[in-house]
Amino acid sequence: SHSAAAQDPYSIPPSLGHEFTHDQTAKVVPQADGGYIVENDSIEQVQSILGINFETFSAEMVPVLEQKKAEYVGDEHMQTQTFLRSFEYGLGNMSEFQAVMGENYVQGKENFFKWYGIMLPTKPKVVEGLYNFVKEEVFHGQEYDRPMSQMIEESLTQKK
């Protein structure tokens, strides 16, 4: 379904995906008094995908998050635990929520849908909307199919 041109053979670290998303969604606007304000034009867009305002969404997610953290324990769920920690951080404010999406986006579509599906199991259209928002508004159509962790594993296996 994807054209070869849209595939990037390289992977980027989640932390870079996080910062890049901040860079793409927030504008720092210098003020006359020497200070600055940060404007984020895409807040409305993400809220419309969520279908509710961010504060309400965030409050609704807290008990779900606690339940999932209790559910996904043990070493075999390390990636999911990392996602849940990042998701929790993202509930702090919309800017961080967007950046956390970018962080998870660069770990591949499959992971994004799996992880956000854990938090929003009854809202696949919302998960798809969030993915497409990051794809179009932040990464300009670029998709990452191979998460960093997978690439590291592959390179270690090839050396043996």
Side-chain angles (χ1 to χ4, degrees):
S1 64
H2 302 309
S3 70
Q7 298 307 312
D8 190 301
Y10 303 105
S11 183
I12 64 172
S15 57
L16 192 60
H18 183 106
E19 296 311 324
F20 182 71
T21 303
H22 275 310
D23 189 58
Q24 295 292 300
T25 53
K27 286 202 297 277
V28 175
V29 184
Q31 299 297 290
D33 64 4
Y36 64 90
I37 56 167
V38 176
E39 286 178 2
N40 186 333
D41 297 334
S42 53
I43 288 177
E44 299 297 321
Q45 214 175 334
V46 175
Q47 286 195 146
S48 77
I49 295 166
L50 295 174
I52 48 176
N53 85 32
F54 185 72
E55 285 67 28
T56 308
F57 171 78
S58 189
E60 284 180 6
M61 285 293 107
V62 173
V64 180
L65 187 66
E66 292 312 311
Q67 180 205 329
K68 299 301 178 184
K69 286 197 309 201
E71 198 179 317
Y72 289 90
V73 290
D75 288 349
E76 72 274 23
H77 295 300
M78 272 175 73
Q79 278 194 309
T80 303
Q81 290 163 11
T82 301
F83 163 73
L84 293 172
R85 280 194 299 275
S86 73
F87 189 90
E88 182 169 30
Y89 181 72
L91 292 178
N93 62 66
M94 177 61 91
S95 187
E96 292 305 337
F97 184 74
Q98 290 175 332
V100 164
M101 285 197 295
E103 175 182 326
N104 291 302
Y105 178 87
V106 299
Q107 297 183 72
K109 187 173 188 172
E110 199 179 317
N111 282 328
F112 189 99
F113 276 77
K114 179 176 87 178
W115 295 333
Y116 280 85
I118 287 170
M119 287 305 299
L120 302 160
T122 62
K123 298 179 176 164
K125 284 271 180 278
V126 172
V127 175
E128 188 180 354
L130 294 175
Y131 182 87
N132 288 330
F133 165 80
V134 184
K135 178 182 172 181
E136 300 307 328
E137 300 301 318
V138 179
F139 289 92
H140 312 287
Q142 177 66 64
E143 292 187 289
Y144 298 86
D145 280 355
R146 296 163 71 219
M148 192 59 125
S149 56
Q150 187 185 327
M151 290 191 65
I152 293 167
E153 278 168 30
E154 284 169 9
S155 69
L156 292 173
T157 328
Q158 282 159 8
K159 289 190 179 97
K160 282 176 188 164

